Amino acid sequence: MEIYKINQIALNQINSQFSLCYNNGIRSYKLSDYTLNSTSNNSEIIVGDVSIGTLLYELNVVVFTGSEHNELYNNKKLVVYDLSKHKEIYYTLFQNAITDIKAISKYIFVTSGNELSIYSYANLNSISVVRTLHFSNKENLNYQLWLNKKEDENVGKIFICMLSEKGN
C-alpha cells in the first residue's frame, strides 16, 4: 500500500474547489461533496512531488511548483497546467526555490528568494510578468502570502510576511 504525504491544501478563489498537493502529484476536488473534480477526464496530475499549488477559479487550471526531489518539475519551476487538456500552458524558471503561490482575480503572485513576482493571466494564452518586487538584500528568505479580497470586487490587499531566514 502506497502512503501519500500531503504537502499543501489550497482553495480556489471562489471557494468552490480545492487542490491537494502531495508527494505523487496534485488533485482537484469539489468542495460541495468532496469528490474528485470530474469536469476533466482525469483531475490528477502524476508529476512526482508537488510542494505548492493552487487552482485558478473554476478553469480546471492549476498553478504549481514541485519539490527539490522532483526532476521534471523542481521547486524553481512555476507551471500553469490545464487539467482538462492534460498539458502545460506556461512555465518559467526562477533562480531560487519558490516559497509560495497565490492567485486572485487575474493575477498570480509568486515568492522566490527575496522577490515577489506578479503575473497577469487575463488570457491564459498570454501569461506575463506585470512586476517584480525586491524586499531585502538578504538571500534565501522565506515569505508567506495572504490575500484579502473584497466581495465582488477586483481590488484587494496582499500581505507579505517574512517567516524566517532559512537556516535559522
Side-chain angles (χ1 to χ4, degrees):
M1 179 172 144
E2 190 169 358
I3 297 174
Y4 294 107
K5 176 186 168 249
I6 297 171
N7 296 323
Q8 184 195 37
I9 297 173
L11 289 167
N12 68 344
Q13 293 82 5
I14 57 175
N15 299 331
S16 63
Q17 299 177 34
F18 67 94
S19 59
L20 174 64
C21 300
Y22 64 106
N23 63 325
N24 201 30
I26 185 169
R27 291 183 179 187
S28 165
Y29 290 87
K30 292 185 280 183
L31 197 55
S32 60
D33 59 6
Y34 309 107
T35 59
L36 278 171
N37 186 348
S38 61
T39 55
S40 63
N41 292 334
N42 180 6
S43 60
E44 180 177 25
I45 307 171
I46 304 294
V47 294
D49 200 1
V50 174
S51 60
I52 304 167
T54 191
L55 292 158
L56 300 182
Y57 285 93
E58 293 183 307
L59 299 175
N60 289 320
V61 174
V62 293
V63 182
F64 70 92
T65 187
S67 76
E68 61 190 22
H69 308 292
N70 189 330
E71 291 181 25
L72 181 60
Y73 297 110
N74 66 43
N75 61 355
K76 295 180 181 180
K77 184 175 186 178
L78 178 73
V79 179
V80 180
Y81 192 95
D82 188 323
L83 289 168
S84 59
K85 295 179 182 175
H86 304 287
K87 70 175 195 171
E88 283 183 25
I89 297 171
Y90 175 86
Y91 79 90
T92 189
L93 298 173
F94 287 81
Q95 286 185 330
N96 296 299
I98 295 169
T99 55
D100 206 359
I101 301 169
K102 296 285 190 269
I104 191 170
S105 299
K106 297 181 188 275
Y107 297 98
I108 300 167
F109 301 88
V110 181
T111 56
S112 173
N114 65 344
E115 296 180 348
L116 168 66
S117 298
I118 304 169
Y119 293 82
S120 171
Y121 70 96
N123 176 349
L124 288 174
N125 295 322
S126 177
I127 298 170
S128 60
V129 175
V130 175
R131 188 161 185 194
T132 299
L133 304 172
H134 301 273
F135 290 101
S136 169
N137 291 330
K138 295 181 180 181
E139 293 294 323
N140 298 321
L141 296 180
N142 187 8
Y143 289 96
Q144 178 73 48
L145 300 176
W146 288 273
L147 300 177
N148 182 15
K149 182 177 180 249
K150 295 181 181 179
E151 285 290 319
D152 301 322
E153 294 184 23
N154 286 328
V155 297
K157 296 178 183 176
I158 183 167
F159 298 93
I160 304 162
C161 177
M162 185 179 83
L163 297 175
S164 66
E165 291 186 47
K166 289 186 179 176
N168 289 338

